[in-house]
Amino acid sequence: MTEKAHALLGPSGASRWLACTPSARLEEQFPDTTSEAAAEGTAAHALCELMLRHSLKEIQDAKYKRELAQLQQSKYYDGAMKEHAEDYVVFVLERLAEARQHTPDALLEVEVKLDLTEYVPDGFGTGDAVIIADGTLDLIDMKYGKGVEVSAIENKQMMLYGLGALLKYGYMYGVDTVRMTIFQPRISNYSSWEMKASDLLQWAANVLKPRAAMAFKGEGEYVVGPHCLFCRAKALCKAYADHQLAIDKYQMQHPDLLTDEAVSDVLDRAKDFTSWIKAVEDYALNAAVKDGKKWPGYKLVEGRSVRKITDEESAVKALKALGYSEQDIYAIRLQGITWFEKLMGKKDFVSKIGPYVTKPPGLPTLAPDYDKRPEISGADAAIKDFEDVPEIN
């Protein structure tokens, strides 16, 4: 399901290059590094594809067992990943069964390449699961990440996948509706959105095609927004830096203090600002270590180090010779909940160990008004703060 690293205008970055058209060419100056999360996602997708094709009898048992054994060697594989892949397979097959209730010959395509060159220069994508039935085209995209909840509503990546699938299969079944679904099992996020095929084609002609042409040429103005989060140029982008450093000026109620509006403005910026600072720090350190870059006013030094025992067996013998017991030497404690979930699988953990697990209320934190969590009062927060404080007699 991966898109070629050198594809300039890939669907996965569409929300960015559609909003900020020069960003695609700017990003070319920076390496496309693979994060641990991306590598984990690739492993999960490979497992999902293998299990789905096996369920569809596209591959025989022997090949399935051989390839599954290879995937199980990955450091990212665990019982939870297999469980999520099984859930994905069930979800796709349920959608296929639903489609075949009214279209007996409904087609399911797995990991299918979608050509977008009619609207996007050198553009293509890969659909995880595409179901084509009379009147409806159904796309399902598996997201294994858990850090950011992904919505299917007006999702530009999904719209490009939908467009590619419509161009490839639309004529076969007279498609008039495109349904796009995000399947994000690790955070129980299942988001669907429908769009008329005619509206999707109109958007492609009036918005996508001209914006993609600008992006391919590196034309247009830099536009800052949520799409900047995963931009490879974020650390050095001048427009992004200007945005982060330009705190709005409010009429001061007190000449030496920020107004309430100014504090809210800082809170609005805080998450993106700290992310940007981290991106700049990472870029500067990487350049100093790998390229010998000298930054004005800074030097490369050895950071804090943690002591460690290099020969545990000899150290234990020496400690025992001094009269220390194993209870003195070894720290024995129960493994964490995440470790047991990976060991047992989430379903078994919930059914067998769940009765012995509790989740206490979280500490109070500020969140924007659009956050889904219910609001608590300051008095409630103060009570929680002091619940665990021992009484003084």
Side-chain angles (χ1 to χ4, degrees):
M1 104 120 214
T2 55
E3 294 155 20
K4 290 182 182 177
H6 63 265
L8 182 70
L9 305 179
S12 60
S15 63
R16 183 163 54 254
W17 54 257
L18 279 169
C20 180
T21 51
S23 64
R25 290 295 180 190
L26 188 66
E27 280 192 285
E28 284 189 309
Q29 302 177 44
F30 300 86
D32 188 5
T33 55
T34 299
S35 66
E36 285 287 302
E40 183 182 45
T42 298
H45 274 89
L47 181 62
C48 287
E49 178 184 2
L50 177 66
M51 295 179 69
L52 182 55
R53 290 193 186 278
H54 181 246
S55 296
L56 295 169
K57 302 189 184 307
E58 292 183 8
I59 58 175
Q60 300 302 312
D61 289 348
K63 182 179 180 181
Y64 170 73
K65 291 177 181 178
R66 186 170 61 251
E67 294 191 7
L68 178 60
Q70 292 176 347
L71 288 172
Q72 288 173 333
Q73 299 304 309
S74 168
K75 68 177 182 178
Y76 302 110
Y77 178 89
D78 56 28
M81 180 179 286
K82 187 171 186 292
E83 204 170 281
H84 292 317
E86 289 170 348
D87 290 343
Y88 168 76
V89 171
V90 169
F91 186 86
V92 173
L93 294 182
E94 285 179 347
R95 282 285 181 89
L96 179 61
E98 175 188 308
R100 285 180 173 169
Q101 287 180 359
H102 58 82
T103 308
D105 63 341
L107 176 68
L108 167 61
E109 294 279 29
V110 180
E111 295 295 319
V112 59
K113 185 173 180 178
L114 304 171
D115 187 351
L116 296 164
T117 52
E118 184 177 339
Y119 294 92
V120 180
D122 296 337
F124 65 90
T126 305
D128 291 351
V130 182
I131 300 171
I132 310 98
D134 289 339
T136 303
L137 193 153
D138 203 354
L139 292 107
I140 302 167
D141 193 57
M142 208 284 287
K143 302 288 188 190
Y144 200 63
K146 60 180 180 178
V148 178
E149 182 176 304
V150 183
S151 171
I153 300 173
E154 296 186 1
N155 184 300
K156 300 303 185 291
Q157 178 183 13
M158 295 301 291
M159 290 168 70
L160 261 69
Y161 287 155
L163 175 65
L166 185 61
L167 295 173
K168 189 178 182 73
Y169 303 108
Y171 71 93
M172 297 170 59
Y173 292 85
V175 172
D176 54 42
T177 301
V178 177
R179 178 165 64 170
M180 296 156 274
T181 299
I182 297 291
F183 184 88
Q184 196 173 8
R186 294 172 84 187
I187 56 173
S188 301
N189 174 39
Y190 313 106
S191 173
S192 287
W193 184 58
E194 293 185 359
M195 192 175 189
K196 289 183 178 179
S198 57
D199 290 341
L200 181 58
L201 290 170
Q202 186 176 19
W203 170 82
N206 298 337
V207 178
L208 175 63
K209 191 168 185 175
R211 298 291 291 180
M214 292 174 63
F216 193 73
K217 296 175 183 176
E219 298 176 347
E221 296 183 1
Y222 290 100
V223 177
V224 175
H227 50 268
C228 297
L229 180 61
F230 297 111
C231 180
R232 299 200 303 273
K234 180 171 73 171
L236 293 188
C237 176
K238 181 66 165 55
Y240 196 69
D242 288 344
H243 170 77
Q244 296 300 336
L245 297 173
I247 295 180
D248 295 340
K249 303 298 181 183
Y250 295 97
Q251 183 176 357
M252 297 297 184
Q253 297 171 352
H254 187 290
D256 299 321
L257 300 174
L258 293 176
T259 63
D260 290 352
E261 291 81 3
V263 171
S264 292
D265 182 60
V266 173
L267 291 173
D268 286 344
R269 297 167 181 270
K271 186 175 180 181
D272 284 345
F273 187 81
T274 52
S275 173
W276 171 62
I277 291 293
K278 180 67 165 56
V280 174
E281 288 176 338
D282 290 346
Y283 173 81
L285 178 60
N286 187 64
V289 171
K290 292 187 176 180
D291 304 325
K293 174 75 174 179
K294 295 283 290 182
W295 298 102
Y298 284 84
K299 62 182 178 181
L300 196 62
V301 297
E302 185 176 296
R304 179 179 176 272
S305 180
V306 178
R307 295 176 296 171
K308 63 179 182 179
I309 295 174
T310 56
D311 186 343
E312 290 190 10
E313 186 177 347
S314 297
V316 168
K317 286 181 180 178
L319 288 164
K320 287 184 175 179
L322 292 170
Y324 293 102
S325 68
E326 290 203 1
Q327 187 175 356
D328 294 324
I329 297 170
Y330 293 103
I332 301 174
R333 61 186 298 273
L334 193 66
Q335 293 279 7
I337 288 175
T338 302
W339 188 90
F340 283 114
E341 283 184 332
K342 288 183 177 181
L343 177 69
M344 304 171 61
K346 195 167 186 179
K347 290 179 181 176
D348 280 348
F349 177 82
V350 170
S351 63
K352 306 294 185 184
I353 311 299
Y356 313 113
V357 175
T358 186
K359 186 178 181 182
L363 292 174
T365 185
L366 285 173
D369 286 335
Y370 56 76
D371 190 277
K372 296 178 182 178
R373 290 167 291 183
E375 185 173 14
I376 62 175
S377 70
D380 291 337
I383 290 172
K384 287 179 182 179
D385 278 345
F386 287 98
E387 278 179 347
D388 296 329
V389 177
E391 292 184 11
I392 300 175
N393 296 320

